[in-house]
Amino acid sequence: MKLTFFGTGTSQGVPVIGCRCKVCSSSDERDKRLRTSAMVETGNARLIIDAGPDFRQQMLREGVSHIDAILLTHEHTDHIAGLDDVRALNFVDYPVIHRVNIYATPHTADVVRKNFDYAFATDKYRGVPEIELHEIDVTRPFEVAGLQIVPVSGRHSRFDVTGYRIGGLAYLTDFKHIEPGQIDKIRGVDVLVVNALRFAPHDSHFNVAEALELVREVAPREAYLTHMSHEVGLHAEIGALLPEGVKFAYDGLKVTIKD
């Protein structure tokens, strides 16, 4: 299995519009972070986790023309705003139309229906996204293209958020709280990806210390931190602050995962 980090930035991305800090001014490509998203590939399947405002740019950068599904973690704009761009995937083999399967909790699915109501209209106009929306039960695993997906529930401030375990990978973003029973679902995975907004505390996201505490509990072979703001610092400097086996991810990074 292969994981590609499409984006590793927070909701504003990095650089932040108008900011002149050393991170936003950096020429290091690892400091340029699109909104958080990832691609998981096996021999038989290609899944995308979240499709935010940078979805089109991320898909073009990685040369993707076919996916089996998109898994949504929650309904916030930086995680769903790019869904209109699945239109290109629908019509890439026109006149054959490939509907894109999207998996989400019932509440997130409701927001998708509201924000992209034209894709679900009875009398649709030509060229709208062709979406097959599947509501998941977070208490039960589900299957996509032969892969078992295990939902992992958490809290993002007052909002519910869903992470996913796919084989040897656990991918959690925008978490601030996770119950012990949910940690048990991912304990001992090969690779853990978890959000770490900054070093200072934050009221709706793990900071670096909280992310590292979860890494210690889960005990993966290796872990990667994602969903980082410009406040986390320069990539070239901050890596030395992490324990062995934990790294700050960056856009375009590819990781091989043991099943």
Side-chain angles (χ1 to χ4, degrees), residues 18-252:
C19 183
R20 300 178 179 86
C21 77
K22 65 180 181 179
V23 176
C24 291
S25 304
S26 171
S27 60
D28 188 338
E29 289 299 316
R30 297 171 299 177
D31 292 320
K32 302 182 190 307
R33 302 184 183 277
L34 299 177
R35 267 60 74 93
T36 294
S37 177
M39 179 169 65
V40 179
E41 297 174 281
T42 69
N44 301 315
R46 177 181 286 151
L47 310 180
I48 307 297
I49 305 177
D50 287 333
D54 304 314
F55 177 70
R56 175 182 176 276
Q57 181 178 350
Q58 292 161 339
M59 294 283 279
L60 288 171
R61 186 190 69 205
E62 298 299 329
V64 179
S65 60
H66 166 79
I67 62 174
D68 291 288
I70 298 174
L71 312 179
L72 298 179
T73 61
H74 62 301
E75 68 275 11
H76 287 170
T77 299
D78 56 317
H79 296 264
I80 70 168
L83 289 177
D84 181 79
D85 284 318
V86 304
R87 289 180 296 152
L89 300 172
N90 296 152
F91 303 115
V92 70
D93 291 321
Y94 189 79
V96 176
I97 297 176
H98 303 288
R99 293 176 65 82
V100 172
N101 293 293
I102 297 177
Y103 292 80
T105 63
H107 177 69
T108 298
D110 283 345
V111 175
V112 171
R113 292 188 190 98
K114 177 176 71 71
N115 289 8
F116 303 94
D117 57 350
Y118 52 90
F120 301 97
T122 302
D123 183 19
K124 293 189 284 191
Y125 63 87
R126 179 180 173 86
V128 301
E130 296 290 341
I131 292 171
E132 193 72 42
L133 191 55
H134 306 268
E135 294 187 2
I136 65 172
D137 178 347
V138 295
T139 67
R140 299 173 180 272
F142 59 97
E143 189 172 296
V144 178
L147 289 177
Q148 186 182 69
I149 316 294
V150 180
V152 182
S153 296
R155 296 289 291 172
H156 172 31
S157 182
R158 66 180 184 274
F159 307 99
D160 291 328
V161 64
T162 305
Y164 297 100
R165 176 169 182 168
I166 307 169
L169 167 69
Y171 184 96
L172 313 180
T173 187
D174 289 51
F175 274 58
K176 178 61 178 179
H177 180 74
I178 182 171
E179 295 286 348
Q182 298 299 309
I183 297 175
D184 289 341
K185 293 181 179 180
I186 61 176
R187 204 178 297 278
V189 292
D190 188 54
V191 172
L192 170 65
V193 178
V194 60
N195 59 284
L197 188 77
R198 63 191 191 190
F199 285 92
H202 192 273
D203 62 359
S204 62
H205 297 80
F206 284 155
N207 65 1
V208 172
E210 291 166 329
L212 292 178
E213 177 57 32
L214 182 64
V215 172
R216 284 189 287 270
E217 289 193 61
V218 173
R221 177 179 61 85
E222 58 183 359
Y224 293 87
L225 306 186
T226 192
H227 202 283
M228 291 167 283
S229 77
H230 60 159
E231 295 178 66
V232 83
L234 294 168
H235 190 280
E237 298 175 357
I238 57 178
L241 304 175
L242 297 179
E244 185 177 357
V246 184
K247 299 175 183 177
F248 287 100
Y250 56 87
D251 292 18

